[in-house]
Amino acid sequence: MLDASEDVMGVITERIEERFQMPLADLLRAVEAAPQANPEAATVVHWYGLLAETQQALDTVEDALVEALGTQPGDVLDDPVMELAHQVNAAVASRDGRAMVVKYLLDPNAPGKRGPGVWRGAAPAARRAPALPTSPPTLPSVHNTAVRGVTR
């Protein structure tokens, strides 16, 4: 049975290999040899490297937490164990954030990206119109405004 960390890395590795149509190891070598050849691949490889580093840090702190939990007497956790638990939570958040970046980079239809000359969503003419009225507002005339309690 795979644990969650192997599953995250495995799924992302598969998506990278599918996107670039080559094994990850080959892609890593190709980007290292010629990073300018494909800027998109270089960016994905960079973020994948950050993701892998974070996953390794998460694995290390999880192992330390499991070990510390094994030595805890009773149900109350002491401060060092709680600190390890907080480190695990922070590492999970960091890993998940970096995984989201890699997934975004791999998705050509992600929000904020556009395909070859085509915007997703509304037609181009509809997007060119201003979102709000651009004419200046009409201000009420001072002479026509009645103020409560004041007679003229």
Side-chain angles (χ1 to χ4, degrees):
M1 181 174 151
L2 293 176
D3 67 14
S5 63
E6 291 172 343
D7 191 34
V8 168
M9 295 303 291
V11 167
I12 290 178
T13 298
E14 287 176 14
R15 289 186 67 185
I16 291 171
E17 291 175 345
E18 180 182 307
R19 167 65 185 85
F20 294 101
Q21 295 297 303
M22 67 174 62
L24 181 61
D26 292 348
L27 181 64
L28 295 173
R29 282 190 293 276
V31 167
E32 186 178 330
Q36 304 84 7
N38 187 333
E40 179 187 7
T43 301
V44 169
V45 165
H46 170 76
W47 278 96
Y48 181 83
L50 295 175
L51 173 62
E53 288 174 9
T54 305
Q55 182 60 57
Q56 186 176 19
L58 173 59
D59 292 342
T60 300
V61 74
E62 280 179 331
D63 291 344
L65 177 60
V66 168
E67 185 178 322
L69 287 171
T71 64
Q72 281 288 278
D75 293 337
V76 179
L77 301 178
D78 61 12
D79 288 343
V81 174
M82 287 302 295
E83 178 58 31
L84 285 172
H86 290 302
Q87 288 177 15
V88 167
N89 285 337
V92 167
S94 182
R95 188 267 323 263
D96 290 351
R98 289 177 176 184
M100 287 175 29
V101 170
V102 173
K103 288 177 185 177
Y104 172 82
L105 293 171
L106 292 172
D107 184 358
N109 297 317
K113 290 185 171 183
R114 62 180 181 165
V118 178
W119 282 92
R120 291 179 38 192
R127 279 192 307 279
R128 284 190 217 115
L132 299 173
T134 56
S135 61
T138 56
L139 299 175
S141 168
V142 175
H143 301 291
N144 295 336
T145 306
V147 179
R148 210 179 269 185
V150 176
T151 57
R152 289 188 181 195

